[in-house]
Amino acid sequence: MTRAPAAPTTPGPGIAGVVITPGHPDYDTSRTIWNRMIDRRPSHILRCVDAEDVCRGLGWARATGREVTVRGGGHSIPGHSVIDDGVVIDLSDINGVFVDPVARIARVGGGCLLGDLDRATQAHGLMTPAGAISHTGVGGLTLGGGLGWTMRRFGLTIDNLLAAEVVTAAGEVLRASATEHPDLFWALRGGGGNFGVVTEFEFALHELGPVHLAANAFEVHDAPVVLRAMRDRMPTAPDELVWSAFFRRLPDWPWAPRARVGEPVLLAPLAWVGDGDGRDHIDGILADLARLGVRPLATGHGPIPYVELQQLNDELNGHGHRNYHKSAFLRDLTDDTIDVLCARGGVIASANSQLEVLSMGGAISRTAPDATAFPHRTELWPVNVCGIWRPDEDDATNVAWVKDTFAALRPHLGPGSYHNFGGSDADEAETKDGFGRTWTRLREVKTRYDPDNVFRHCANIPPLGEGD
Ligand code: FAD
C-alpha cells in the first residue's frame, strides 16, 4: 500500500527563482562565499529574480519565523551573506546592467559584480567609481561606501548613487533618492545592508579612457622613504593622482625579478586617472625618490584600459583562501607610524597576506560629512591588515600576524573604521565606533524601516530600544 506524502508543515517560498536546500546539487557551491573561513549551512537559499520575488521570499521567511540574510557578490569578509539554519536571499540572478549613454546613468541589478558594471559602462567609454577587484559585489560595496582606484577624482561609489529600488522588511518596494524617502537614501549611502534589499542601483556615469599606471615594487628597507614621500605629496596632490602602498610577498608576476619572488616588498602603484598620461607627476615622484637614493627593484609603466585595471589583481585576491582582516584609519603617517608599518610589513606570514595603506582625500573630502551615512570624509589613510592564506596553511600563525600587527598599530589609529574592510570579529561596540557620528541618526532610520531588525546579519545597527 502506498501512502500519500505528508502535507508540508509550511508551504514553500513560492518564488519564481531557484530554491536551494540541503541535498540540492548546487547546495555546497551556493553556500560557499569568498572567505573560506566561513562554513555555514542555511536551510534555504532563494535565488530571487526580481523585487517581487524578493518580497515573496522575504515574506515567507518572516511568516515562518526564519532568520534572513542577503547575498550580493558573497565578498563579506566576516561572512554576513550566509547564515546557519536561516534563509539566504541570493541576488546573483538579479544581475542586469542597463546603460543610458546619453543621460549618463546606469541601472544596475542588486546582485551584479563590479566586472558586470565596468564592462557594460566602459563599452560606452563611461564608468562609475567602485572597488578594485572585479569579482566583488556591487551591492555590499556600494552600501558601505565604495573605495577604489578612481575615488579621489570621482568620489566614493555612494557619491555617484542617484537612486535605489529597495524591498523593505515590511515587503514594500520603495524608490529611495534625494527626493523620495530621502532619510532612507541617506542611510543606504554608508549604512550597509541594515535597511532593506536593494534590487536596483542607479548610478551617475563619467567618461574615462585608459588609466596610466606605474606599478612599482620597492625593497622593504626603502619603504620608510617611499611612505614619507607619499605622506608629504598626497594631501595636496591633484585628484587624478593615485598612490597606495601594499606590503606583501612579491607575486610571481612577469615583470618581477625571479630571484625575489616570494620575498616581502612594498608595492607602491602610482596611477593617473585623468586626461593625458600624468607622466610629469608620476615621473616627478620617481625622480624625487631616486634623488634620495631609492629606486624600484621592479617597475612596469604604461596605459591600461579601465576594465583591465579593475581585473589586474583579481587572481591575487581570488576565491578559495582563508581570511582574517582588521581595518581602521591611521591618525597620520608619522615617522613612528611608518616604522611600525615597515616592521610588520617585513614579517608577513603568508604569500597572499597584505598590509595596505590607501590614500583618500580629493573628491571624497569635498562631500559634506553629514551628506551621507559614510562618516570618514576627512580621513586620509585607511589601513587594512589582511590575513589571506591557503587552506593548507596554519590558521593560528596567520591570525596572530593580523592581531599582532593591529595591536602594534593601535596607538597610531584614529577613531572609526570602514565597516566593509575587515571587521572579521567586530563586536557591537566596535561597530558603533566604526559608524561614529552617524550612529544615532542611522538608528532612527533603522527604527523607521526595519523596527524588528530583520536585516541584522550585517554590521548591525539596532533599532532604537533594542539593547538600550
Ligand atoms: P556580500 O557578502 O554578498 O554581502 C555582504 C552584505 O552586504 C550582505 O550580507 C548584506 O547585508 C549587504 N548586501 C549586499 N548586497 C546587498 C543588496 N543588494 N541589498 C541589500 N544588502 C546587500 N571594498 C571597497 O570599498 N573597495 C574595494 O576595492 C574592495 N575590494 C575588495 C576586494 C575583495 C577581494 C574583498 C573580499 C572585499 C573588498 N572590499 C572592497 C570590501 C567589500 O566592499 C565588502 O566585502 C562588501 O560587503 C562586498 O559586497 P558583496 O555584495 O560582494 O558582499
Side-chain angles (χ1 to χ4, degrees), residues 34-35 75-80 323-328 356 383-387 402 406 417-426 430-431 459:
W34 179 82
N35 182 359
H75 274 44
S76 160
I77 296 153
H80 291 313
N323 282 267
Y324 180 84
H325 299 197
K326 282 193 148 328
S327 171
E356 315 175 349
V383 61
N384 300 322
V385 190
C386 309
V402 176
F406 202 70
S417 62
Y418 172 42
H419 64 85
N420 265 2
F421 285 150
S424 277
D425 46 14
E430 279 176 85
T431 304

Side-chain angles (χ1 to χ4, degrees), residues 25-73:
D26 293 341
Y27 181 70
D28 282 328
T29 45
S30 302
R31 70 184 181 85
T32 301
I33 61 168
W34 179 82
N35 182 359
R36 288 297 157 83
M37 287 282 262
I38 311 295
D39 179 18
R40 299 195 186 126
R41 304 185 67 83
S43 65
H44 296 77
I45 300 169
L46 309 184
R47 297 234 319 242
C48 299
V49 296
D50 56 21
E52 285 67 37
D53 227 19
V54 171
C55 288
R56 281 190 287 270
L58 184 60
W60 170 79
R62 291 202 67 187
T64 55
R66 290 174 164 89
E67 295 267 306
V68 174
T69 197
V70 178
R71 174 179 172 139

Side-chain angles (χ1 to χ4, degrees), residues 99-313:
V99 179
D100 180 340
V102 178
R104 294 202 171 175
I105 56 161
R107 292 206 303 275
V108 181
C112 279
L113 305 184
L114 301 193
D116 302 325
L117 169 63
D118 295 336
R119 276 188 301 276
T121 51
Q122 278 280 283
H124 302 276
L126 300 170
M127 54 74 72
T128 206
I133 306 293
S134 81
H135 45 72
T136 313
V138 171
L141 179 128
T142 302
L143 296 171
L147 278 59
W149 284 104
T150 61
M151 63 184 169
R152 285 175 45 83
R153 172 143 185 231
F154 298 119
L156 302 170
T157 310
I158 48 171
D159 299 337
N160 296 277
L161 185 66
L162 299 173
E165 179 185 73
V166 189
V167 177
T168 66
E172 282 180 290
V173 183
L174 302 180
R175 189 179 145 91
S177 69
T179 52
E180 302 144 291
H181 304 285
D183 53 347
L184 178 60
F185 186 55
W186 173 83
L188 290 174
R189 289 174 295 158
N194 281 283
F195 304 95
V197 185
V198 178
T199 44
E200 187 174 272
F201 296 93
E202 189 177 309
F203 292 111
L205 301 178
H206 309 274
E207 257 180 54
L208 187 67
V211 169
H212 197 90
L213 176 69
N216 308 298
F218 293 93
E219 304 280 3
V220 170
H221 62 72
D222 286 333
V225 177
V226 178
L227 290 178
R228 278 185 226 130
M230 182 170 120
R231 168 193 69 197
D232 295 341
R233 181 75 69 128
M234 288 313 285
T236 54
D239 294 355
E240 291 90 340
L241 188 68
V242 182
W243 193 355
S244 18
F246 304 85
F247 287 96
R248 63 166 297 132
R249 291 178 183 272
L250 185 62
D252 189 3
W253 282 332
W255 53 274
R258 312 311 311 152
R260 306 301 305 277
V261 168
E263 288 183 20
V265 293
L266 178 72
L267 299 181
L270 282 154
W272 182 258
V273 178
D275 298 336
D277 60 12
R279 286 304 289 249
D280 288 357
H281 293 275
I282 293 176
D283 290 353
I285 288 170
L286 293 174
D288 285 351
L289 290 173
R291 271 193 289 279
L292 297 167
V294 169
R295 290 187 171 75
L297 71 91
T299 187
H301 279 233
I304 178 167
Y306 180 67
V307 171
E308 264 180 53
L309 176 71
Q310 291 287 86
Q311 296 170 346
L312 202 60
N313 294 315

